[in-house]
Amino acid sequence: MKTSVIFDELLANLKVGQTASTVALRRDEIAKALNNDFRSKEACTDYKLMVGSFGLHTAIKGVSDLDMIFVLPPGIRSNYDSDTGPRRMLERVRDVLKARYPNTAVRVDQCVVRVQFMSNAFKFEVQPAFENADGTFDYPDTKAEAWKVTKPRAEIAETKACNDRTSTNMRHLARMARAWKNANGVNTGGLLIDTLVHNFFAQTDDYNSAGTGSFDLMSRDFFEFLKDEPEQDHYLALGSRQRVNVKTRFQSKAKKAYNRCLEAIEHEGMSAANLEVARGLREIGAAGRDRGVQVIPGHRAVHRGPVPS
């Protein structure tokens, strides 16, 4: 099997797919409930912004954690300026959503209100925020008893710019890296993955116009980049340049993935090349166990049955 075919199948299997419509429905329901309370507008789905992997379009099939900013009306800002303001705001949002979803777990968690939908295992983290003139947002933090600044629009813009510059390869690689992270127990946040992918493309233009036939080489070089990264406790997020903490080291697992890529590429052209490449892809996209694709040494990638969405 050609390398391009293997990666085309992998990327197709990583797509969020029909889940996106369910996410959009939940998102709009939340926005309607909050707009009815904060603006007395019925059936209004405006004043929202999806952030995180879904907002950056780097999410993969099986995504369950959704991050959403609800933009608050500026006229009420002074009502929440005190030390108790952040908690009162989050409790107000919690109460509105509890009323909308009486049989769903809804709770305040420091900077967000978590809504855990059991029917489809989605967890929405809703962050009420005031938008500033420069496009940044002030969000409530109950631990600090203050409002802090976040810059998701800058992250969204930089992701798009990098993706456009690399002929959509930025998002392709970010999705594959997420699948590798999930399948190999790499305890790394999604924003850090996107930032590392962005940093990789910032130091090379070798793959700015590469097709999937070169994705084996791109994956090899990406994991080489990861394994050689110096140990540090944080990175600066793409676009926003805000601090993103490193939860655990990822270099050793990246080294294993790099060696698998070398092995796969070394066997290219042999009669069993497709099998070896597939074996190497286990490190890249072994969405295998968790995302509905099974990669078996000695066999091509096959479906195990319906992919959960």
Side-chain angles (χ1 to χ4, degrees):
M1 183 186 297
K2 290 183 178 180
T3 300
S4 60
V5 175
I6 292 173
F7 277 97
D8 286 340
E9 289 186 358
L10 172 63
L11 292 171
N13 287 328
L14 291 179
K15 287 183 178 179
V16 173
Q18 295 181 350
T19 301
S21 60
T22 306
V23 171
L25 179 63
R26 293 295 196 190
R27 174 201 65 198
D28 288 350
E29 288 174 349
I30 290 171
K32 287 177 185 178
L34 293 174
N35 277 316
N36 188 38
D37 182 80
F38 281 91
R39 292 182 170 89
S40 298
K41 291 186 175 183
E42 294 186 4
C44 177
T45 60
D46 298 333
Y47 309 106
K48 65 184 184 300
L49 178 67
M50 293 300 293
V51 296
S53 64
F54 203 85
L56 297 180
H57 302 288
T58 55
I60 61 175
K61 185 180 291 292
V63 61
S64 58
D65 294 347
L66 291 310
D67 302 306
M68 169 182 169
I69 287 179
F70 175 69
V71 185
L72 296 164
I76 67 171
R77 185 187 285 250
S78 61
N79 297 339
Y80 296 90
D81 279 344
S82 68
D83 292 348
T84 63
R87 179 165 295 281
R88 287 188 291 112
M89 173 55 71
L90 287 166
E91 288 177 348
R92 178 175 174 180
V93 170
R94 177 201 62 194
D95 292 345
V96 171
L97 297 180
K98 270 186 173 290
R100 173 61 182 83
Y101 302 107
N103 300 316
T104 298
V106 182
R107 66 183 180 88
V108 171
D109 186 5
Q110 187 173 339
C111 303
V112 298
V113 174
R114 289 189 175 184
V115 185
Q116 180 68 62
F117 294 106
M118 300 306 296
S119 60
N120 44 32
F122 288 147
K123 178 180 68 179
F124 264 83
E125 294 194 345
V126 183
Q127 186 170 73
F130 293 106
E131 186 166 12
N132 300 311
D134 61 358
T136 63
F137 293 88
D138 291 340
Y139 68 92
D141 186 331
T142 56
K143 186 175 180 179
E145 296 184 333
W147 293 81
K148 295 184 176 180
V149 176
T150 186
K151 305 175 182 178
R153 291 198 190 281
E155 294 163 3
I156 292 170
E158 184 57 32
T159 300
K160 183 180 185 304
C162 183
N163 193 59
D164 291 346
R165 186 172 67 251
T166 60
S167 308
T168 72
N169 288 339
M170 187 272 180
R171 284 180 175 140
H172 287 327
L173 184 55
R175 293 185 186 113
M176 291 192 294
R178 265 184 174 74
W180 165 74
K181 169 183 93 75
N182 292 345
N184 291 276
V186 181
N187 187 21
T188 299
L191 182 55
L192 180 55
I193 288 290
D194 294 333
T195 296
L196 290 168
V197 170
H198 174 270
N199 291 354
F200 167 72
F201 283 114
Q203 51 88 54
T204 182
D205 59 6
D206 289 351
Y207 302 103
N208 282 4
S209 58
T212 51
S214 299
F215 274 22
D216 54 345
L217 303 180
M218 182 177 72
S219 300
R220 174 201 65 191
D221 290 355
F222 173 65
F223 286 118
E224 182 178 26
F225 168 78
L226 286 190
K227 78 177 181 64
D228 291 340
E229 278 290 276
E231 291 186 33
Q232 53 197 74
D233 62 0
H234 75 280
Y235 283 79
L236 298 180
L238 74 170
S240 68
R241 309 301 290 168
Q242 292 190 294
R243 182 185 178 108
V244 181
N245 291 330
V246 177
K247 298 177 182 178
T248 58
R249 293 181 68 252
F250 53 79
Q251 287 85 346
S252 61
K253 290 186 177 180
K255 184 177 181 179
K256 290 180 181 179
Y258 171 70
N259 289 333
R260 285 286 183 87
C261 289
L262 290 180
E263 181 183 354
I265 293 167
E266 180 183 354
H267 285 80
E268 184 179 2
M270 298 176 64
S271 60
N274 59 318
L275 315 180
E276 296 298 336
V277 172
R279 180 183 173 198
L281 289 183
R282 181 176 313 192
E283 290 291 343
I284 303 166
R289 315 191 283 259
D290 303 319
R291 307 293 178 194
V293 179
Q294 187 174 12
V295 180
I296 308 173
H299 297 77
R300 60 175 290 176
V302 297
H303 287 291
R304 287 192 295 197
V307 176
S309 58

